[in-house]
Amino acid sequence: QVQLVESGGGLVQAGGSLRLSCAASGRTFSGYAMGWFRQAPGKEREFVGGISASGRYTSYTNSVKGRFTISTDNAKNTVYLQMNSLKPEDTAVYYCAAKITYYSSTVPSDGMNYWGKGTLVTVSS
């Protein structure tokens, strides 16, 4: 069992930056691939980006490529989502999630095993 807790959300102006953190507890963090997802008001939850269990591979949805970066700190059992050049359309509740993957190189975009409760990011224009 893995527990995930997001933090770092808040209100920021368009063009600004935020760094979200996701602290994991319960089991060895390094054995899981991690993903960030978001859900905007009135919309379905969508994949934002992910990182493989090895930490060597990442993947991002097209709308955030070049602006968002995922990284991990295994010593702290934490995964980060650095968000730069934020836009109003990035406003959403952001969730981190963990998945047990067969290959350490797999970057998951669905079928996650564990979810956090989310943190709200609001980008004002």
Side-chain angles (χ1 to χ4, degrees):
Q1 190 77 9
V2 174
Q3 293 80 42
L4 303 172
V5 179
E6 303 95 336
S7 61
L11 174 64
V12 63
Q13 289 189 334
S17 298
L18 279 176
R19 188 177 78 160
L20 304 184
S21 300
C22 174
S25 62
R27 286 197 61 177
T28 303
F29 173 77
S30 60
Y32 291 84
M34 302 298 295
W36 284 96
F37 297 76
R38 66 185 180 187
Q39 186 167 20
K43 296 187 177 181
E44 293 187 353
R45 186 163 56 191
E46 65 171 349
F47 171 75
V48 174
I51 188 166
S52 63
S54 68
R56 294 181 60 188
Y57 303 95
T58 57
S59 177
Y60 301 92
T61 193
N62 286 337
S63 62
V64 308
K65 282 182 181 177
R67 299 190 298 124
F68 291 11
T69 303
I70 295 174
S71 61
T72 58
D73 185 336
N74 288 341
K76 295 182 179 180
N77 279 0
T78 301
V79 60
Y80 303 99
L81 180 65
Q82 178 67 45
M83 305 185 295
N84 299 326
S85 303
L86 283 161
K87 305 175 181 180
E89 51 262 44
D90 294 318
T91 294
V93 177
Y94 283 72
Y95 301 88
C96 75
K99 183 173 183 177
I100 302 168
T101 57
Y102 187 82
Y103 295 105
S104 63
S105 59
T106 299
V107 180
S109 60
D110 59 10
M112 310 305 284
N113 299 111
Y114 304 101
W115 291 87
K117 293 184 178 181
T119 185
L120 177 62
V121 172
T122 304
V123 184
S124 63
S125 57

